[in-house]
Amino acid sequence: MNLKKYALPILIVAVLAVAAYFLFRDGSQSRAAWGYIPANASAVITSERLQDSTFLVTEAAINVKQFPLVNEAGGSLSLLLWITPDQQVFERTLRQKTLTFSYHPRTSSGFGLILYVPLTNEMEVDWWSKPNRQDVRVLSHSYQGVSITDINDLNSKPVCSYIIKDNYLIISQYGDLIEDVVRRSKESVSEFALKDQFQNSNDSPYGLSIYIKNTIWKTLLSGLLNSQAALSEFFKFLPTFQDYHLSDTDKFKIVFESTGGKTVKNYLTAWLDGQVGKAFSRHHYISQQTSQFFRIASGDSLEFKENFQDWHDDYSSAAWEKLRYHIDNQRDELINNVGSELILCQIEGNNTITDGKLAMIEYANYDKLRPILANLARLATTESNVSIDKYQGYDLFSIPIPELPSALYGPLFSGFPRAYITYIAPYLVFSNSSQGLRNYISDYENRITWQQSPELDSVLISSQPPAQLAMVASLRKINSNRAMGGVFSENIETIVFESRVNGRRIIPQLTILPKKRRTSGKVLNRTFLAGEIEWVEGNDAFIAISQNQDEGAAQLLLVDEKFRLLRPDASYDKALPITTLDGPVVASPLRVDFLNIGRQQLVLATPQSLYAIDEDENGIVTAIRVGIPSTQPIVEVVRIEGGGEGSSRFVVVDAAENLFLWENPGKMPRKINRFKNFSGLKLPIVSLNQLGSRSLIITQENGLVYLIKEDGTIRPGFPVDMLTRIAGAFAWTQNINTAQPELVGVSAYGELLRADVAGNILERKQLYRPESSSRFTTLFDYNSLDWLFLRASNTRAAIFDQAGNELFEIENIAPNSKLQYHYFGVDNRFISISSGGYTSIFDMTGRRLGDKPISSDLPVKISYQAAYYKLFIFAHEGEKYKTWTIKIR
């Protein structure tokens, strides 16, 4: 046998066999450089994609390199260029290699990072052994017998330090971290927690793997201050050590899978011990105002109930003891019939609520609980007639026991200085705000819920077994109110964090949902004419539209010389009659469910009459008309909250500045200001509703601010005198610490004032006024749903939030420009500026929307269709009404 003949093939086979062995061996365990990572690491990342110029996933092209931790990892690669500026060497060294990054705590909110680059041959070792740059100072120091190379810039400022060890280039911005690497390699005990947990996991199928300690979540999400307590409680449920691996199996969403970790002992795991999850199907209960959502749910209701009550037997709090004081053993009824689903909703910020929360507890046998809640509400308060009320047919209870939901259902449900309670089967609903509870009822009744949202109607629905614990966060709503610091890509809509308990292991899963629709560059942010109709008759003092606030749909309204109310057909070829009025329209039409029948009516006014116009599913129109008890013509109709039957009521203003409250479509409004005549009113009139007490904020131009009851009597302590002229109405907001309402407004010269409901001035603060021509006012959405502060001069305008912080400024505007605020939820807010016959539209970052200004000789009206991310702008030019559209996402 000629062995030389077969020597080469045998050698090749042997090499391939060894390579296959090592490939198989390496493919069955983590590829992280575990043996060199200091033991204090809080996180470790492995990836063979971060050296790529882009790391895009899903059809929405989400850039993974923008994610928390990952962005720092990708940025650290630039440290290598301080050793050699040769881009080709840089790229060849990193090409198709699995890189490792470890994170080490250095401050309370920051990490130091170490990069581990495998070097495959002596040539690569030579490339990186000595820096090849003339514009750096190369120093070195010895640590435990190992020479560490230190790179300084020409100003002797330290840039990075590194060593080459066992064919690994190990580099960090911080020299002490490289010393930690040296010390670790000399330790006799080489294991540490993250390595011990994950060194045998298989991360080879994934382009990105992340290994973290539970404690890192607090640092990563510290920007989410509005729900930090709830987030903290949520992450206590997760394993001490966690792994997340980027899956590439779904092009429509980003999924980080996990192998899971050992169950952590806490009250949540005690409740859910040995139980399966419960599918989520109640999207129609979750308001679209929800910015974050936490859910605890079990499919084994009897076992959950038993575990919950066992836990409660050993759990005590001040609030629980106060319940004993007020209602003794009846307090047990608050926990005995708790179901197996508990939900906490963090509500998006708006004009009155900055930290609104809703706790929704599945609960049976409300009839038995109702008298107990009523008795508790009466006994727990020293105030009269402020503990029990009704709203749209639902009971409202006010219980001033701090942190009551936390005492009943655990620390996740904290942040309730006072509890406002109602029951919407099957949930007992708690809120930390009276107005927040009313808003929730209105959203539920008007179906402004997840079920009607194309982004949220399928959240938490998947083929996997349902999770026992879940969190959903809408980044747009969070970013709009409290900056997240650009933590995630702007293309991301929602984050879903689910945790499944499987035996003694908890398996987390992180799903990132991109924005559903991607708009073509030919359409995105372009201004298109959607329709126009020539109209030379009737009233053209302002543009009137019928706007469905729930759905975002809107319709142009026209009035002819015979006072017929009409609307253009779909093609804008002709106007179709709706009904006949007794005069021209004098106030912006509003659309609400005034009749409380499950559909919205058009509410408008002529100089003589008020109209509520209803149209049923068959197109049959019913116009309800009433007058007012005044000889003066009507000049304005303002929507306010707080109706006993429906979600809205109206304040009607006549030419003599008398105020009338219109609560029932078929009844004549009643006069409010029977005891006081007002003059120089600044509109709108703003309602302030508390349980058992409904008030109106009246602002006069002379600087007097009144808080009056609906019978016209002035609340004690009022009026508050600003001592200077006021250009805009006062509003109110809720104090985040006391949960009490406060009146807030600004003088014409920029002094911001806050007062409590007793008339005590809490704060006077001068806002920045850069020039003498600057004037300040409060800018309200025309639906009176939200407000901002405006500073305007002859040439520029600035927008301020409710706290007086400047958001953005627009320069080079024409004198006497008309600015309007258009509110469609906290994440869809717009400013329009009409000047010189043209209108420009801006978002709340100051970015101009549309590729051209819109020609209009009247201030425009705007509607927003969230399902299509489309603005509709209604304009008037010459003898034509026009409708324009802008696709903004």
Side-chain angles (χ1 to χ4, degrees):
M1 182 177 180
N2 188 353
L3 293 179
K4 291 184 178 180
K5 179 181 179 181
Y6 297 101
L8 184 59
I10 291 173
L11 179 61
I12 293 174
V13 170
V15 170
L16 289 176
V18 172
Y21 166 75
F22 281 103
L23 180 64
F24 176 79
R25 186 191 68 177
D26 291 343
S28 64
Q29 63 182 5
S30 170
R31 296 172 294 174
W34 292 112
Y36 309 96
I37 301 175
N40 68 340
S42 295
V44 172
I45 289 180
T46 65
S47 177
E48 57 184 24
R49 295 284 308 278
L50 290 186
Q51 59 267 55
D52 297 348
S53 58
T54 60
F55 190 172
L56 303 179
V57 294
T58 77
E59 284 194 338
I62 301 296
N63 185 4
V64 176
K65 294 172 78 169
Q66 292 184 356
F67 288 4
L69 295 182
V70 183
N71 54 359
E72 291 93 341
S76 70
L77 295 176
S78 63
L79 293 177
L80 298 179
L81 296 175
W82 284 98
I83 304 176
T84 177
D86 191 326
Q87 191 69 29
Q88 291 185 345
V89 170
F90 175 81
E91 292 175 356
R92 282 201 298 267
T93 301
L94 300 179
R95 187 177 299 139
Q96 296 182 342
K97 289 184 180 179
T98 298
L99 307 180
T100 301
F101 310 82
S102 63
Y103 298 77
H104 305 268
R106 294 186 62 81
T107 66
S108 60
S109 60
F111 295 93
L113 188 148
I114 306 175
L115 165 63
Y116 309 81
V117 182
L119 304 177
T120 55
N121 51 55
E122 289 301 321
M123 182 182 299
E124 290 188 353
V125 172
D126 290 341
W127 285 344
W128 298 97
S129 295
K130 295 180 180 180
N132 184 25
R133 285 187 60 155
Q134 304 303 314
D135 56 345
V136 299
R137 299 185 62 197
V138 182
L139 306 176
S140 65
H141 72 278
S142 179
Y143 182 78
Q144 295 189 0
V146 176
S147 179
I148 299 174
T149 303
D150 301 307
I151 305 292
N152 292 359
D153 63 17
L154 293 180
N155 295 320
S156 298
K157 180 181 177 181
V159 175
C160 63
S161 299
Y162 71 95
I163 60 173
I164 295 177
K165 184 173 179 60
D166 299 335
N167 286 342
Y168 267 100
L169 170 61
I170 305 173
I171 185 171
S172 175
Q173 180 183 353
Y174 303 101
D176 59 303
L177 291 183
I178 301 300
E179 292 179 357
D180 288 344
V181 172
V182 173
R183 183 167 54 250
R184 166 153 174 70
S185 65
K186 293 180 176 295
E187 291 174 351
S188 58
V189 179
S190 61
E191 302 296 330
F192 70 99
L194 276 175
K195 177 183 179 182
D196 186 50
Q197 186 76 17
F198 298 118
Q199 65 176 328
N200 294 320
S201 66
N202 183 9
D203 56 14
S204 58
Y206 306 100
L208 177 71
S209 294
I210 304 174
Y211 307 90
I212 63 172
K213 293 180 180 178
N214 197 355
T215 52
I216 204 172
W217 287 110
K218 182 177 180 180
T219 301
L220 288 180
L221 301 175
S222 59
L224 298 177
L225 301 177
N226 56 337
S227 58
Q228 189 64 47
L231 278 172
S232 177
E233 289 299 324
F234 176 83
F235 286 113
K236 286 179 183 177
F237 177 83
L238 297 176
T240 303
F241 305 104
Q242 302 159 39
D243 61 325
Y244 297 92
H245 309 280
L246 179 62
S247 172
D248 60 356
T249 58
D250 196 318
K251 62 181 180 180
F252 299 110
K253 59 187 177 184
I254 300 171
V255 179
F256 282 92
E257 302 171 341
S258 175
T259 58
K262 294 180 182 179
T263 301
V264 179
K265 290 185 178 180
N266 62 25
Y267 72 99
L268 290 175
T269 52
W271 291 359
L272 298 166
D273 185 32
Q275 301 158 44
V276 298
K278 179 180 182 179
F280 180 62
S281 60
R282 291 170 175 168
H283 297 75
H284 57 294
Y285 285 92
I286 310 302
S287 166
Q288 285 187 27
Q289 295 187 57
T290 302
S291 62
Q292 281 178 274
F293 164 94
F294 301 86
R295 178 177 183 256
I296 306 165
S298 167
D300 302 319
S301 57
L302 292 179
E303 188 171 355
F304 179 88
K305 183 176 180 179
E306 181 178 340
N307 290 350
F308 173 76
Q309 291 180 341
D310 287 345
W311 165 82
H312 218 288
D313 289 341
D314 299 324
Y315 183 66
S316 182
S317 68
W320 184 244
E321 293 308 313
K322 282 190 176 182
L323 286 176
R324 178 194 293 276
Y325 173 78
H326 291 300
I327 57 174
D328 198 34
N329 291 332
Q330 283 187 313
R331 65 178 182 168
D332 292 335
E333 291 297 331
L334 291 166
I335 61 171
N336 286 343
N337 290 302
V338 171
S340 60
E341 184 178 45
L342 297 86
I343 293 171
L344 176 68
C345 295
Q346 180 78 34
I347 304 303
E348 66 181 359
N350 58 31
N351 61 319
T352 57
I353 303 167
T354 55
D355 189 32
K357 291 182 172 65
L358 286 167
M360 303 170 61
I361 313 301
E362 192 176 40
Y363 200 94
N365 203 354
Y366 174 65
D367 289 339
K368 188 174 182 180
L369 184 61
R370 182 180 181 181
I372 297 173
L373 288 172
N375 188 37
L376 176 61
R378 291 189 183 98
L379 293 173
T381 184
T382 58
E383 306 165 78
S384 60
N385 197 33
V386 295
S387 58
I388 301 174
D389 203 348
K390 273 188 173 292
Y391 183 70
Q392 296 199 49
Y394 294 94
D395 297 321
L396 299 182
F397 304 99
S398 173
I399 301 177
I401 298 178
E403 301 301 346
L404 179 59
S406 176
L408 296 172
Y409 313 116
L412 180 70
F413 297 91
S414 61
F416 291 76
R418 187 176 187 133
Y420 300 90
I421 305 172
T422 191
Y423 184 78
I424 299 179
Y427 295 115
L428 189 64
V429 183
F430 295 74
S431 179
N432 62 351
S433 162
S434 171
Q435 188 64 42
L437 189 58
R438 286 184 170 92
N439 291 349
Y440 172 73
I441 292 172
S442 296
D443 287 352
Y444 173 73
E445 286 292 310
N446 292 317
R447 298 182 295 279
I448 312 176
T449 65
W450 281 12
Q451 189 176 50
Q452 282 73 43
S453 168
E455 306 290 351
L456 300 165
D457 58 355
S458 58
V459 164
L460 298 179
I461 295 177
S462 67
S463 58
Q464 296 190 48
Q468 293 90 339
L469 189 67
M471 180 195 76
V472 179
S474 170
L475 291 192
R476 285 189 298 116
K477 294 180 184 294
I478 293 170
N479 280 331
S480 296
N481 199 41
R482 292 184 185 263
M484 224 175 151
V487 166
F488 286 99
S489 166
E490 63 178 11
N491 292 332
I492 293 173
E493 186 73 31
T494 306
I495 294 177
V496 180
F497 209 132
E498 298 172 87
S499 293
R500 295 173 174 84
V501 184
N502 185 3
R504 296 188 177 276
R505 294 184 70 79
I506 294 179
I507 303 173
Q509 177 178 295
L510 179 61
T511 303
I512 298 174
L513 303 176
K515 295 174 181 176
K516 283 194 173 181
R517 295 176 179 84
R518 295 186 64 198
T519 302
S520 164
K522 296 180 179 180
V523 177
L524 183 64
N525 211 32
R526 302 292 179 90
T527 306
F528 292 98
L529 180 64
E532 62 181 10
I533 186 168
E534 190 167 340
W535 198 255
V536 296
E537 7 177 25
N539 179 25
D540 59 357
F542 61 91
I543 299 168
I545 65 171
S546 167
Q547 178 174 288
N548 187 327
Q549 188 69 26
D550 303 349
E551 301 173 1
Q555 179 72 58
L556 179 66
L557 296 176
L558 305 169
V559 179
D560 66 13
E561 57 188 6
K562 298 179 180 179
F563 305 130
R564 289 188 304 164
L565 183 68
L566 308 99
R567 61 188 168 207
D569 63 7
S571 60
Y572 273 63
D573 291 329
K574 58 183 178 179
L576 305 176
I578 302 173
T579 190
T580 300
L581 309 175
D582 62 2
V585 176
V586 296
S588 294
L590 300 162
R591 194 173 179 88
V592 297
D593 185 7
F594 197 16
L595 295 173
N596 197 29
I597 58 175
R599 63 173 178 262
Q600 295 186 331
Q601 293 79 49
L602 182 65
V603 175
L604 52 80
T606 66
Q608 297 81 30
S609 305
L610 300 166
Y611 287 84
I613 302 171
D614 179 66
E615 184 173 0
D616 67 14
E617 293 80 2
N618 298 316
I620 298 174
V621 175
T622 303
I624 302 172
R625 170 180 169 270
V626 297
I628 63 171
S630 172
T631 59
Q632 297 290 324
I634 298 169
V635 296
E636 190 61 77
V637 178
V638 180
R639 172 188 175 273
I640 63 172
E641 293 282 357
E645 296 298 326
S647 60
S648 294
R649 303 176 295 161
F650 302 90
V651 171
V652 183
V653 185
D654 71 9
E657 298 189 295
N658 292 307
L659 306 177
F660 304 89
L661 186 62
W662 189 25
E663 298 185 283
N664 188 302
K667 293 183 179 180
M668 183 177 290
R670 58 182 174 86
K671 188 175 181 180
I672 300 172
N673 59 320
R674 296 178 297 145
F675 311 109
K676 170 69 177 176
N677 292 326
F678 298 107
S679 63
L681 284 177
K682 308 308 294 185
L683 298 178
I685 306 299
V686 179
S687 60
L688 172 55
N689 301 317
Q690 298 172 281
L691 263 67
S693 173
R694 297 174 181 172
S695 304
L696 299 171
I697 302 173
I698 310 293
T699 309
Q700 293 189 155
E701 187 177 15
N702 63 2
L704 295 179
V705 181
Y706 293 84
L707 188 61
I708 68 170
K709 299 178 182 178
E710 292 182 355
D711 62 3
T713 58
I714 300 173
R715 293 279 293 265
F718 288 88
V720 171
D721 194 347
M722 278 288 290
L723 303 176
T724 185
R725 189 170 66 86
I726 297 177
F730 263 56
W732 69 274
T733 187
Q734 179 177 309
N735 186 298
I736 192 173
N737 298 314
T738 66
Q740 295 302 305
E742 296 175 355
L743 278 62
V744 59
V746 65
S747 74
Y749 296 106
E751 183 182 37
L752 186 145
L753 181 142
R754 293 183 183 275
D756 62 20
V757 293
N760 301 309
I761 295 178
L762 305 175
E763 179 187 25
R764 285 183 182 270
K765 179 175 70 174
Q766 178 63 44
L767 302 182
Y768 178 57
R769 186 169 174 242
E771 50 194 356
S772 60
S773 63
S774 295
R775 296 292 184 270
F776 291 77
T777 188
T778 314
L779 196 61
F780 285 84
D781 164 63
Y782 93 91
N783 282 297
S784 300
L785 297 176
D786 197 52
W787 55 271
L788 297 163
F789 290 128
L790 167 68
R791 183 189 70 215
S793 67
N794 292 331
T795 59
R796 53 183 178 170
I799 303 298
F800 293 75
D801 65 16
Q802 292 95 338
N805 303 308
E806 185 173 324
L807 300 177
F808 65 93
E809 185 175 51
I810 302 168
E811 297 183 344
N812 301 319
I813 65 173
N816 302 316
S817 298
K818 171 69 174 179
L819 277 81
Q820 297 181 97
Y821 177 35
H822 312 272
Y823 176 85
F824 307 99
V826 72
D827 49 350
N828 293 303
R829 303 180 291 167
F830 310 99
I831 299 293
S832 66
I833 301 181
S834 300
S835 64
Y838 289 90
T839 296
S840 297
I841 301 168
F842 301 85
D843 65 15
M844 296 313 292
T845 66
R847 180 174 67 100
R848 187 188 297 268
L849 303 178
D851 59 345
K852 60 185 176 183
I854 293 171
S855 178
S856 182
D857 46 44
L858 293 173
V860 301
K861 286 291 193 300
I862 292 179
S863 180
Y864 179 65
Q865 285 190 330
Y868 301 98
Y869 311 125
K870 185 179 289 187
L871 281 175
F872 285 79
I873 302 99
F874 299 88
H876 182 270
E877 182 181 9
E879 295 181 346
K880 291 183 178 180
Y881 285 93
K882 297 183 177 182
T883 302
W884 302 84
T885 64
I886 302 174
K887 194 79 176 291
I888 63 173
R889 293 171 55 195

